[in-house]
Amino acid sequence: MSRMSAVNKYRAERWCYLHHLEPVAWLIRSWIYLIHNSFVPYKCEIGEGTEFGYKGIGLVIHSNAKIGKDCMIGTNVTIGGGAGGNNAAIAAFDAVRRTVPVIGNRVQVSTGAKVLGNIVVGDDVIIGANAVVINDVPAGAVVGGCRQEY
C-alpha cells in the first residue's frame, strides 16, 4: 500500500473529522482533489482494507456512500446519488433520489464503473469496467455493461 494513495489520505481526513478537526479534514480533502483529481469526502464510510487502483485517480464518491471492507475501487469510478439543479422540477425529482449506494465487503468495482442511486451491492460482487449499476446487486454476482439482469 502506497503512503501517497488517496485512500490513505482519506483515512487521515476521516480521523480528523471524527475527532472534530473539520478544518484539517477539509484541507486533506482538498489535497486529495488537487493531487488525485478525486473527490473522496471525509463523511463517507470506507471499510478497512479497501484500496483504490492507481492511487485513486479520478474517483467521485458521494459523502453519504458506504463501502465495505477489503474492496478494490478502480480509477474513474463514480459512487453516488442524484444530481441537484436550480429547476424546481429537477430539485423535486432529485429529492426522491437523495440516497446513495451501500457497497458490501470484498467488492471489486472496475475502472470507469458508475454505481448510482439508492441501491445495495452485496458481498463478493464484481462490477466490470464501465458498467452502469442502478439496481440492487445480489451477493456473488458479476455485473457488466448497462443491462441490469442477473
Side-chain angles (χ1 to χ4, degrees), residues 2-16:
S2 172
R3 290 186 179 157
M4 293 303 292
S5 81
V7 75
N8 289 336
K9 291 179 186 87
Y10 158 79
R11 297 203 191 291
E13 74 173 336
R14 178 78 175 169
W15 185 91
C16 291

Side-chain angles (χ1 to χ4, degrees), residues 29 32-33 37-41 58-63:
R29 184 184 69 194
I32 292 171
Y33 182 75
N37 193 30
S38 296
F39 183 72
V40 184
L59 296 178
V60 176
I61 301 176
H62 192 281
S63 60

Side-chain angles (χ1 to χ4, degrees), residues 69-85:
K69 296 178 180 179
D70 301 317
C71 296
M72 182 61 187
I73 311 296
T75 59
N76 296 313
V77 168
T78 300
I79 298 171

Side-chain angles (χ1 to χ4, degrees), residues 2 14 16 34-35 37 43 51-52 66-67 75 84 86 90 93 99 110 118 121 144-145:
S2 172
R14 178 78 175 169
C16 291
L34 289 171
I35 300 298
N37 193 30
K43 291 185 179 181
E51 294 290 332
F52 298 156
K66 294 182 181 179
I67 300 172
T75 59
N86 294 330
I90 292 173
F93 175 72
T99 54
S110 300
N118 182 21
V121 177

Side-chain angles (χ1 to χ4, degrees), residues 103-126:
I103 296 177
N105 300 318
R106 299 170 306 281
V107 173
Q108 178 180 337
V109 183
S110 300
T111 299
K114 310 301 179 232
V115 183
L116 305 171
N118 182 21
I119 64 171
V120 175
V121 177
D123 295 342
D124 304 305
V125 168
I126 298 173

Side-chain angles (χ1 to χ4, degrees), residues 15-32:
W15 185 91
C16 291
Y17 170 70
L18 293 175
H19 289 85
H20 309 290
L21 301 169
E22 285 194 54
V24 177
W26 182 87
L27 286 172
I28 297 170
R29 184 184 69 194
S30 299
W31 187 25
I32 292 171

